Amino acid sequence: MKTIGRILIILLATTVVVGATWALTRNGVNAQFAPGEGRFRPDGDFGGEELFPEQPPQGLDPGQRPEGFREGVFERAHRGDFFLFGWLRNIGIIAVIVAVVVFAESLWNHRRINQAVKTSMNGPQTK
Amino acid sequence: MNISTIKKNNTRTKLAIDILIFVGFLVAMDPRSTGIAVHEWLTVASMTAVIIHLLLSWDWIVQLTKHFFTMSVLRPRINYVLNALLFIDVILIMYTGIMISESFVPFLGFSLPRNFGMRELHDLTANLFVPLLGLHTALHWNWIVNAFKRYVFQPIGHLFGSKRALQNISVEE
């Protein structure tokens, strides 16, 4: 029962994040992330600028990207070639971040301990 | 079962789940080598593991949420904020991933339009996930090292130690 309650809280938090994202993209606060086609748009006239055009921009075929549009995960995935580079790159990034943070933290702790030792050796401050 | 045994089992389960999530996401993060179907299904499956990970860390989350503004130490606060960002990022990856799904959603019998914006957001959040995972790993590094020592390296050491002891006995015989 307790676990079910906790799972519900996690799902509620998930719904809040998804709802906020949907609202932001829907209202065009972040226009560049607005969906490109209109199937999510409810019926009715909302007025204002069309954020979810039914037609692809500038006469492009459906599914065709505008010029200069960055290659995404889909295109890369559909190339179908075996690539170990992605895994190595991700592990490399994580390893570098871990090394930097752990080293900086140990350095910081070392300094703090040294300072504490120095203070205790000097004894209480007297006038 | 006493508290220390429960704690020990909890840590062991947590370590196993964490390794599973880490490897799962690492594989899923590179759809070039796995293909889109494995990419999508593995990420959906990893979501279950993420929920278990959160449930196992529940007491820590509750404690920190309660004392977030009153605690004097900075490290747990940074950790908490980072974990919150990681959670939001994972949810965004999942949401945008479902919106542009080509395997999982069609399997469920739904069809969604191709979506440029969601694809961009999916790429952005996925790229952000790697450094966030790095920071998350870094801030839990001591726990990871200790858990590995206790539940991976020590048992392996004991295994080789007992094998060696058995060999010594047979040589002496």
Side-chain angles (χ1 to χ4, degrees):
Chain A
M1 200 65 198
K2 218 163 135 184
T3 310
I4 293 170
R6 288 171 180 180
I7 291 170
L8 285 176
I9 293 171
I10 294 168
L11 291 178
L12 187 75
T14 306
T15 313
V16 169
V17 175
V18 169
T21 312
W22 184 82
L24 283 173
T25 49
R26 184 71 193 77
N27 293 326
V29 171
N30 200 344
Q32 61 169 321
F33 296 134
E37 292 181 37
R39 287 207 206 163
F40 298 111
R41 185 175 179 154
D43 291 329
D45 185 22
F46 295 91
E49 200 179 303
E50 181 80 272
L51 280 170
F52 308 100
E54 293 289 342
Q55 296 301 317
Q58 294 163 353
L60 291 171
D61 293 330
Q64 191 186 348
R65 291 188 160 199
E67 210 173 309
F69 203 87
R70 199 159 61 84
E71 183 189 50
V73 110
F74 265 64
E75 283 71 16
R76 292 201 300 263
H78 283 294
R79 268 203 261 129
D81 47 359
F82 185 80
F83 237 68
L84 200 67
F85 176 72
W87 295 12
L88 290 174
R89 189 199 61 188
N90 289 341
I91 292 175
I93 292 168
I94 292 167
V96 167
I97 291 170
V98 170
V100 168
V101 172
V102 171
F103 179 72
E105 214 173 19
S106 72
L107 209 71
W108 172 255
N109 286 339
H110 200 72
R111 261 183 73 178
R112 266 178 55 193
I113 291 166
N114 276 352
Q115 256 177 354
V117 169
K118 262 184 198 172
T119 317
S120 68
M121 278 171 78
N122 289 340
Q125 292 283 326
T126 50
K127 282 185 183 175
Chain B
M1 202 185 275
N2 60 16
I3 292 171
S4 71
T5 317
I6 293 168
K7 233 176 185 179
K8 203 175 162 185
N9 286 342
N10 198 0
T11 311
R12 199 181 291 171
T13 314
K14 215 167 164 181
L15 182 69
I17 292 284
D18 289 359
I19 293 169
L20 209 72
I21 295 172
F22 188 80
V23 174
F25 269 114
L26 216 59
V27 173
M29 284 293 284
D30 194 28
R32 263 186 288 187
S33 53
T34 59
I36 210 78
V38 176
H39 168 75
E40 288 184 16
W41 282 96
L42 198 62
T43 319
V44 171
S46 297
M47 208 48 208
T48 317
V50 168
I51 290 175
I52 298 170
H53 175 82
L54 288 172
L55 290 174
L56 289 171
S57 310
W58 194 262
D59 291 336
W60 182 87
I61 295 167
V62 171
Q63 285 303 313
L64 228 65
T65 309
K66 273 182 188 169
H67 304 290
F68 185 78
F69 292 106
T70 52
M71 67 174 62
S72 56
V73 195
L74 187 69
R75 196 181 192 277
R77 273 194 201 172
I78 294 172
N79 209 346
Y80 187 83
V81 171
L82 185 80
N83 287 341
L85 286 175
L86 197 59
F87 177 75
I88 293 168
D89 193 56
V90 168
I91 299 303
L92 286 178
I93 291 173
M94 290 299 298
Y95 170 60
T96 52
I98 286 169
M99 297 302 269
I100 59 171
S101 170
E102 285 192 355
S103 172
F104 177 69
V105 174
F107 176 82
L108 297 176
F110 299 104
S111 85
L112 294 168
R114 301 203 93 198
N115 197 317
F116 293 136
M118 283 294 166
R119 202 177 300 176
E120 273 290 279
L121 189 55
H122 188 67
D123 276 359
L124 183 78
T125 48
N127 288 336
L128 197 67
F129 178 75
V130 180
L132 281 175
L133 184 64
L135 284 171
H136 184 72
T137 311
L139 287 176
H140 292 88
W141 189 245
N142 287 336
W143 183 90
I144 294 166
V145 170
N146 289 334
F148 256 92
K149 269 184 193 167
R150 197 164 180 182
Y151 298 110
V152 180
F153 298 134
Q154 269 182 17
I156 291 171
H158 282 306
L159 200 73
F160 280 104
S162 58
K163 264 189 183 173
R164 214 169 284 161
L166 279 171
Q167 273 174 353
N168 286 342
I169 290 164
S170 61
V171 166
E172 280 168 15
E173 278 173 355

